[in-house]
């Protein structure tokens, strides 16, 4: 009887032990199922994010392609612009100076370089006052500062001895980026001479050289 009771007790312990093992397996199975579901959910999230990344990459690649295409077109236009500018510079009969905001010569181009008092290499990097006569340099600098300050083209005439002759020149100052200036210089001596002759003929009689009626009327109005 004691043995039975002991045996019964062992059986009871064994039964309890088996039931506990089954509960642990069920719990483990549930945890594994939850982990599996969580892994699936995370996998779906990763797949979704991966799709988003792929779409973003495709968008970025397309933007890069579009930007590269724009850059190529801009480079083509820039080359065409440079070629056109080079052609204009080469064919321009006068002089083209490039100066900075400190009145320093940066570049010299044009078809009138043989008329310069010195080779262009001799004054590139020098200031206006180091190259031109004092009075002319002061006039040139004044107009340069106005053009830079107002961001507008300035045109003025000046006289300078060249080839032992007093000649008339026209300067057009065109502001550029970075406070740089392009100065277009042209010899207008012949044009002004013709204008003076035309003006003289308009106020003088061709036969006697005396003032005519037009001059009288102009003076009469001025005196009034």
């Amino acid at each position: 009887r004691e043995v039975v009771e002991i045996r019964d007790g062992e059986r009871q312990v064994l039964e309890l032990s088996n039931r506990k093992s089954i509960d642990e397996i069920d719990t483990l199975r549930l945890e594994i199922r939850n982990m599996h579901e969580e892994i699936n959910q995370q996998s779906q999230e990763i797949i979704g994010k991966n799709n988003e990344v792929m779409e973003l990459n495709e968008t970025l690649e397309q933007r890069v392609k579009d930007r590269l295409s724009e850059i190529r077109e801009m480079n083509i236009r820039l080359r065409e612009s440079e070629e056109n500018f080079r052609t204009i510079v080469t064919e321009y009969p006068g002089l083209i100076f490039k100066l900075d905001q400190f009145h320093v010569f940066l570049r010299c181009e044009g078809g009138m370089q043989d008329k310069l008092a010195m080779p262009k290499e001799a004054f590139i990097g020098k200031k206006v006052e180091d190259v031109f006569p004092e009075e002319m340099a002061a006039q040139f600098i004044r107009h340069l500062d106005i053009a830079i300050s107002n961001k507008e083209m300035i045109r003025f005439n000046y006289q300078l001895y060249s080839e032992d002759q007093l000649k008339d020149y026209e300067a057009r100052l065109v502001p550029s980026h970075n406070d740089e200036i392009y100065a277009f210089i042209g010899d207008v001596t012949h044009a002004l001479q013709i204008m003076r002759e035309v003006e003289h003929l308009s106020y003088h009689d061709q036969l006697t050289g005396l003032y005519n009626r037009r001059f009288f009327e102009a003076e009469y109005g001025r005196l009034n």
Side-chain angles (χ1 to χ4, degrees), residues 200-201 203-213 215:
H200 177 82
L201 291 175
Y203 288 110
H204 293 77
D205 180 74
Q206 298 184 20
L207 181 62
T208 63
L210 299 176
Y211 288 118
N212 57 17
R213 181 175 180 83
F215 174 80

Side-chain angles (χ1 to χ4, degrees), residues 74 93 138:
M74 291 173 61

Side-chain angles (χ1 to χ4, degrees), residues 68-84:
L68 288 174
S69 178
E70 292 177 2
I71 292 175
R72 292 191 191 97
E73 292 180 2
M74 291 173 61
N75 287 333
I76 292 174
R77 294 176 183 175
L78 181 60
R79 284 195 296 269
E80 292 177 351
S81 178
E82 289 177 349
E83 291 176 358
N84 292 335

